[in-house]
Amino acid sequence: MSGTDVKRSVAPGVRLGQVSFVWRPWLVSVTLLLAAATFLVFCLSIGVGDFPIGLSRVIATILGGGERVDEFVIMDLRMPRALAGLIVGVALGVSGALTQSIARNPLASPDILGVTGGAGAVAVFLVTVSGGTAAAVVSAVGLSAAALAGGLGTGLLVYFLAWRRGIDGFRLILIGISVSAVMEAITTWLLATADIKDVARAQAWLVGSLEGRSWGEVRVALWCTLVLLVVVSCVAFQFKPMHLGDEVAAGLGVRYSMVRAVLLLCAVLLAAVAVSAAGPVPFVALVAPQVAMRLARCPTPPLVASGMVGASLLIGSDLVARTALPITLPVGVVTAAIGGPFLVCLLVRANLR
Amino acid sequence: MSAEHITDIESAAQGDTRLAARGVTVGYGGRTVIENLDVTIPPGVITTIIGPNGCGKSTLLRTLTRLLKPAEGAVVLDGEDIAGLRTRDVAKKLGLLPQAPVAPEGLTVADLVAKGRHPHQSWLRQWSSDDAGVVERALAMTGVSDLADRPVDSLSGGQRQRVWISMTLAQGTDLLLLDEPTTYLDLAHAIDVLDLVDDLHESGRTVVMVLHDLNLATRYSDNLIVMRAGSILAQGHPRDVITAELLDEAFGLRATVIDDPVGDRPLIVPIGRTHVRPGQVPVRTSQVRLG
C-alpha cells in the first residue's frame, strides 16, 4: 500500500502473499457477527427438546469433548434436524441473493422462478396419485429426489422460456410468475381431487418442515450444497461487474452470458436441493438477501451474509415453531411470520432516515 | 490527416491505426443493419459517428466494441481479429461506455469507479495499491474526487455521466468508445461532459462516440463519420464534411451552414417549415431546396 496519499473514500486493499482484496471492515464484521449468531442459534436449537442440554455442553459435544449420553442425543437424534436447517437456510439465502442479483430485481426469488412451485406440484402428484407408477417412483428415488427433479425442471423451463438473445430481469420474473401459477393450479387441483388422508400428508410437505430428517438425507443435501457453493465462489468474482448491467460488464471483459447461465443454474439447483430437503419453506430466499444487504449496508446482496441470514432465520424459526407455542408448527409458517415483519421494519426504518 | 489516408485500410493495418472494421455485415436477428462496411478509426483524435435515427450508428459502435458480432467481416484491434481475442484482453485495450448505464442504488462513486479495474484483477488479486492509485487519478481527472463517498444515484445527470466516464478511465485504456454520452443531459451539462471528453483526447486517447446533436458533434470532433441506411456517406474533418448538401442527403434536413462565430468549425442552422423570415435566410451556393 502506498498508504498516506490514498484517500479514505477509495477502499483500502489488504494483501496476504499473492492474495489481495478490498478491505471492507463493516461488511466483514457484520458477516462474522451473523456467522456467530448462526452458530449460537444452531447450538440452541440442538439443546432444546424433551431432554434439554445446556449450551456449553452442546458446544463441547460438537467440538468432540462431550459425554456419551449427550453425544447420542446430539449427534444421532438432533444433529440431522439442525444441520438440515443450516443447509436449507444457507442454500435458500445464497440462491435468493443470486437470483435477485441476476435479475437486478429484489422480487426475483427462487419461489418466483418456479423452483418451489414445480417441486411442490411433483411432490403432491406423487403423494396424492396412488397409482402404480407414482408409488414405484417414490420407492425408487424417494419423494425428495423426485421433488428436486420437479423443481429443477421447472426452473430450467422458466430459464429457456425467458431466453431471448439473453436474459432480461423483467421477462424472467413475468415468465416465472406465470409458470409458478400454473404449477400452483396443478397442485390445487390435485389436492382438491385427492383422498383426504393423502391431502394431509401433502399439505404437511407443502408448508415446509424439518421434522424427522435422517442423516442419510442430510448428507446428500450437504454435499450437493457444498459443491454448488464452491462453484458459486469460483464464478462470483466474474459476476461482480454484472451489477452494472450486461453491456458495462461486457466492456469490463466479462463473458456475461456464460457467467449468468452458470450462476442461475447454481441458484436453481440450490433452491431445488433446499426444497427437496425441507419442502417449499416460504420467504427465506426472498427476505434473507434483502436483510443481509441492509445489515451489511451493501448496494447489492452479499452472498455469504445472505447465506448466514437464511440459516439463522430458518433455524431460529424452527426453534420458535417447536418451543414458543403449545402446538408444534411446521417451520414454514414461522419463517413467513418472522421474515415478513422484519423486512417491513427494515424498509420503514430506511424510509424514516 | 487526409481523407485518402483515413480510408486506406492497407496502410492503416501496418501504421498506427488501432481499430478498424473490415467488410462487416451486422444485424439483429434476421434484419441486416449494416452491410459490407469498411471504416478505420484514426488514432489520437475524436471521431464522432452521426446520422439519422436507425441508420446504424450505435450498431457500428457496438460492433467496434464486440458487443455485437458481425455476421461477415471482422473488427481489427491492434492488427488482430477482435472475435479471436480474449474478452479480458480486449477490455484492457478498449474502454466502453454504453448508452444510459444504471448503477445499483446506494453504490458509491468510488466503488463504481473502482469497478473499472476489473479487467486487471483476478480471483486472487482483487485489489492492489496500483488499483487504488489509478482510481484516485481517474476520479481527479474527471473532477469527481469530492463526490467519491456519495451514492451515484444521488448525483445530477451531468455528474453521473462524469462518474461513468471516470470508471471507463480507470480501466486504463487509451481507446474509449462512448455511446451517446450526452443523452438526457441539458446543454450546459452536455458541454461539460464533451469538454471532459476533449481533455481525454488532449491527454493522448483515441475517442469514438455517437452523438445526436450535429453542432456538438461538429464542434468537438476532428473526424466525423456520417452514416445513412447502414453505410458511410462521408468521413473526414467537419470543415470538409459538413455541407448543406450532405445534411440534406443524410438527414433530409434543410439547413444552412455558416462559420461558427466562436470556433473554427462550421455551424449548422436548421431551416424548418415555420419561424423562418423569408428575406433573412442567406443565399449561399451550398444551400438547397429553398424557396
Side-chain angles (χ1 to χ4, degrees), chain A residues 7 9-11 13 19-22 24 104 233-234 237-238 240-241 243-244 247-248 250-255 299, chain B residues 62 66-67 87 91 98 102 104-105 107 110-112 115 118-119 121 123-127 136 145 148-149 171:
Chain A
K7 265 176 39 181
S9 48
V10 173
V19 185
S20 66
F21 51 89
V22 182
R24 296 185 194 282
R104 299 181 81 190
S233 59
C234 288
F237 166 70
Q238 285 299 323
K240 285 199 301 183
H243 295 293
L244 305 177
E247 297 198 341
V248 177
L252 293 172
V254 175
R255 290 160 68 198
Chain B
R62 289 158 59 86
R66 56 103 179 63
L67 277 179
T87 325
V102 181
E105 206 179 310
L107 187 71
D111 282 346
L112 175 63
K115 294 262 202 268
H118 189 268
Q121 296 164 344
W123 199 91
L124 287 177
R125 214 186 65 84
Q126 301 203 4
W127 192 248
E136 278 295 317
S145 298
D149 293 317
Q171 211 172 322

Side-chain angles (χ1 to χ4, degrees), chain A:
Chain A
M1 290 288 316
S2 50
T4 47
D5 63 317
V6 176
K7 265 176 39 181
R8 256 187 60 243
S9 48
V10 173
V14 178
R15 192 166 168 189
L16 306 164
Q18 288 296 302
V19 185
S20 66
F21 51 89
V22 182
W23 176 239
R24 296 185 194 282
W26 181 265
L27 175 62
V28 172
S29 337
V30 166
T31 309
L32 287 178
L33 276 175
L34 283 171
T38 308
F39 184 68
L40 194 71
V41 186
F42 181 78
C43 294
L44 266 178
S45 163
I46 288 175
V48 171
D50 294 334
F51 176 69
I53 304 173
L55 199 59
S56 54
R57 274 160 65 199
V58 173
I59 295 174
T61 311
I62 291 176
L63 298 177
E67 294 163 33
R68 280 199 60 115
V69 188
D70 289 351
E71 202 172 308
F72 171 70
V73 174
I74 290 171
M75 298 311 278
D76 290 357
L77 299 183
R78 293 185 186 165
M79 187 57 100
R81 179 182 194 133
L83 210 51
L86 183 75
I87 296 162
V88 170
V90 168
L92 286 177
V94 173
S95 175
L98 285 174
T99 48
Q100 290 177 3
S101 302
I102 290 167
R104 299 181 81 190
N105 191 318
L107 274 181
S109 72
D111 315 37
I112 278 177
L113 295 185
V115 178
T116 319
V122 168
V124 171
F125 176 80
L126 292 177
V127 171
T128 55
V129 178
S130 43
T133 338
V137 168
V138 171
S139 63
V141 298
L143 193 58
S144 299
L148 190 146
L152 183 61
T154 319
L156 291 181
L157 178 70
V158 169
Y159 183 75
F160 286 118
L161 286 176
W163 178 272
R164 192 179 56 187
R165 282 191 273 123
I167 285 286
D168 165 67
F170 266 114
R171 205 173 141 80
L172 190 68
I173 289 171
L174 282 176
I175 289 179
I177 288 176
S178 317
V179 172
S180 294
V182 172
M183 291 301 161
E184 265 153 44
I186 293 174
T187 307
T188 310
W189 175 68
L190 285 170
L191 288 176
T193 53
D195 187 84
I196 191 73
K197 275 182 294 181
D198 293 335
V199 170
R201 264 180 72 207
Q203 283 288 12
W205 192 89
L206 277 178
V207 185
S209 166
L210 297 173
E211 202 70 53
R213 298 300 113 166
S214 74
W215 261 115
E217 289 169 301
V218 170
R219 210 166 279 135
V220 174
L222 179 66
W223 281 113
C224 290
T225 307
L226 280 179
V227 169
L228 287 167
L229 290 180
V230 168
V231 175
V232 168
S233 59
C234 288
V235 189
F237 166 70
Q238 285 299 323
F239 182 62
K240 285 199 301 183
M242 286 177 60
H243 295 293
L244 305 177
D246 289 351
E247 297 198 341
V248 177
L252 293 172
V254 175
R255 290 160 68 198
Y256 60 90
S257 303
M258 204 256 315
V259 171
R260 183 170 41 209
V262 170
L263 287 182
L264 202 52
L265 184 65
C266 285
V268 167
L269 278 167
L270 278 169
V273 167
V275 174
S276 72
V281 183
F283 230 60
V284 177
L286 176 72
V287 93
Q290 293 299 312
V291 170
M293 220 170 102
R294 283 165 179 82
L295 290 177
R297 296 181 193 161
C298 286
T300 50
L303 287 177
V304 181
S306 299
M308 293 300 151
V309 172
S312 337
L313 179 61
L314 197 71
I315 304 171
S317 300
D318 186 49
L319 194 60
V320 171
R322 281 188 291 149
T323 56
L325 297 165
I327 48 160
T328 303
L329 286 170
V331 63
V333 176
V334 185
T335 53
I338 293 181
F342 192 40
L343 180 62
V344 171
C345 256
L346 287 174
L347 287 171
V348 170
R349 258 190 52 198
N351 286 349
L352 290 179
R353 232 183 275 156

Side-chain angles (χ1 to χ4, degrees), chain B residues 105-278:
Chain B
E105 206 179 310
L107 187 71
T108 65
V109 168
D111 282 346
L112 175 63
V113 176
K115 294 262 202 268
R117 297 307 294 161
H118 189 268
H120 305 274
Q121 296 164 344
S122 64
W123 199 91
L124 287 177
R125 214 186 65 84
Q126 301 203 4
W127 192 248
S128 72
S129 48
D130 292 356
D131 292 337
V134 173
V135 170
E136 278 295 317
R137 285 198 293 280
L139 286 167
M141 185 155 187
T142 49
V144 291
S145 298
D146 295 341
L147 306 174
D149 293 317
R150 299 258 302 272
V152 178
D153 49 290
S154 73
L155 305 179
S156 76
Q159 289 172 328
R160 212 176 290 172
Q161 197 61 348
R162 283 179 161 271
V163 170
W164 280 103
I165 292 176
S166 183
M167 185 207 79
T168 324
L169 275 186
Q171 211 172 322
T173 63
D174 41 20
L175 264 174
L176 287 177
L177 284 84
L178 316 171
D179 195 353
E180 296 200 25
T182 57
T183 311
Y184 305 134
L185 299 185
D186 60 40
L187 188 55
H189 283 121
I191 292 287
D192 182 55
V193 164
L194 289 174
D195 277 342
L196 170 60
V197 171
D198 206 53
D199 291 345
L200 304 182
H201 149 248
E202 289 296 327
S203 62
R205 290 179 179 80
T206 303
V207 180
V208 185
M209 58 184 172
V210 169
L211 284 183
H212 258 303
D213 190 302
L214 297 179
N215 277 324
L216 292 181
T218 306
R219 172 80 67 81
Y220 282 94
S221 330
D222 313 296
N223 181 44
L224 282 179
I225 296 175
V226 187
M227 289 186 73
R228 196 193 62 181
S231 54
I232 293 179
L233 212 54
Q235 178 175 358
H237 194 277
R239 271 195 298 267
D240 305 329
V241 167
I242 294 294
T243 59
E245 288 84 0
L246 176 99
L247 293 170
D248 184 49
E249 200 184 346
F251 296 88
L253 173 76
R254 264 196 332 150
T256 182
V257 177
I258 60 173
D259 287 334
D260 186 339
V262 302
D264 59 348
R265 309 279 168 90
L267 182 73
I268 299 159
V269 182
I271 302 166
R273 280 191 294 108
T274 57
H275 302 292
V276 180
R277 280 171 289 166

